[in-house]
Amino acid sequence: MVKVYIDPGHGGSDPGAVANGLREKDLTLKIAKYMRDYLLNNYTGVSVRMSRTTDKTVSLSARTNDANKWGANAYISIHINAGGGTGFETYVYPGVGKATRDLQNAIHGEVMNVFSGFRDRGKKQANFHVLRETKMSAVLTENGFIDTKKDADFLKSDANLRKIGEAHAKGVAKYFGLKKKAQPKSAQPAQKKKKKKKNVFYRVVTGSFTDRKNA
């Protein structure tokens, strides 16, 4: 069983970046839930745990401690960028091994398919707490800039948030080689053919006779 820990950035008293009528904590939670649902609905052999499923405050240490205690195989931290730029980027902890870089590559490639037309800001490294204190392969994603109108307009669409979340899930599934669930057959049972009734004829015979006996 592959254990995937999904961490929607910020929450509760910490809204994260705020601009263009959007709050980072709301967007990350929606993306994370779409990621969770896609993994559980489409793949076998996977278990998902989230640092939060509602708008509540969770410290960074509580998030990483929970993932470590659970024994997660992968930690995905979802964020929205700020600072006037544009596009998508991912982070891992400096000096990590090939396994974590491969996970970063898989997620980065799938999500950039959704951010087509936006800048690919690259695969980076940083000394973030959630990357440093986790015992498993950990990747942090920055999904567009909340304070750039083009990016914000894209993030205002729930359909786009769904695509971003599902792309995260596809990247994780690709990395772990998760098998897709068999889709139920929608074919309706064949209807029994009705037996045709044999033709039946009803005949009326009339006549005129001079002899009553013959009638």
Side-chain angles (χ1 to χ4, degrees):
M1 179 69 67
V2 174
K3 294 183 174 183
V4 180
Y5 195 92
I6 305 175
D7 175 27
H10 308 282
S13 61
D14 174 17
V18 179
N20 289 301
L22 299 172
R23 299 185 299 184
E24 182 178 3
K25 67 175 183 177
D26 301 327
L27 300 177
T28 60
L29 184 58
K30 286 185 176 182
I31 292 171
K33 286 182 174 180
Y34 283 133
M35 178 184 179
R36 175 199 63 190
D37 294 347
Y38 194 85
L39 280 172
L40 295 178
N41 292 336
N42 291 276
Y43 299 98
T44 62
V46 62
S47 179
V48 174
R49 188 176 178 93
M50 294 176 61
S51 61
R52 65 183 182 94
T53 56
T54 59
D55 182 20
K56 68 176 183 178
T57 304
V58 185
S59 69
L60 293 178
S61 59
R63 298 168 196 246
T64 53
N65 289 343
D66 188 45
N68 291 336
K69 184 177 179 181
W70 186 50
N73 300 111
Y75 186 105
I76 314 301
S77 187
I78 299 171
H79 289 261
I80 309 297
N81 228 329
T86 184
F88 174 75
E89 61 192 15
T90 55
Y91 288 88
V92 295
Y93 187 68
V96 293
K98 182 178 182 298
T100 301
R101 294 196 306 273
D102 286 347
L103 177 60
Q104 180 185 27
N105 290 337
I107 295 173
H108 193 102
E110 290 293 338
V111 180
M112 268 310 301
N113 289 335
V114 178
F115 277 97
S116 176
F118 289 84
R119 180 182 170 190
D120 183 345
R121 301 178 61 86
K123 304 161 194 173
K124 303 179 179 181
Q125 299 181 355
N127 185 23
F128 296 143
H129 175 96
V130 295
L131 302 179
R132 182 182 66 247
E133 300 301 325
T134 42
K135 296 179 180 179
M136 69 294 303
S137 293
V139 177
L140 184 145
T141 66
E142 292 279 8
N143 301 272
F145 281 72
I146 202 169
D147 55 352
T148 297
K149 188 178 184 306
K150 177 184 177 182
D151 295 40
D153 288 345
F154 185 78
L155 295 170
K156 285 178 180 178
S157 165
D158 200 65
N160 289 334
L161 298 181
R162 178 189 291 272
K163 290 176 183 177
I164 295 170
E166 292 181 353
H168 278 72
K170 291 174 183 177
V172 169
K174 181 178 180 180
Y175 171 75
F176 285 108
L178 297 178
K179 292 183 179 180
K180 279 205 166 186
K181 288 183 177 180
Q183 297 300 318
K185 294 182 179 179
S186 58
Q188 296 180 349
Q191 295 181 347
K192 292 182 179 180
K193 292 182 179 180
K194 293 182 179 180
K195 292 182 179 180
K196 292 183 178 180
K197 292 183 178 180
K198 293 182 179 180
N199 292 331
V200 177
F201 297 93
Y202 300 92
R203 184 173 297 162
V204 177
V205 179
T206 60
S208 300
F209 304 92
T210 56
D211 191 325
R212 180 181 174 84
K213 182 176 66 175
N214 290 337

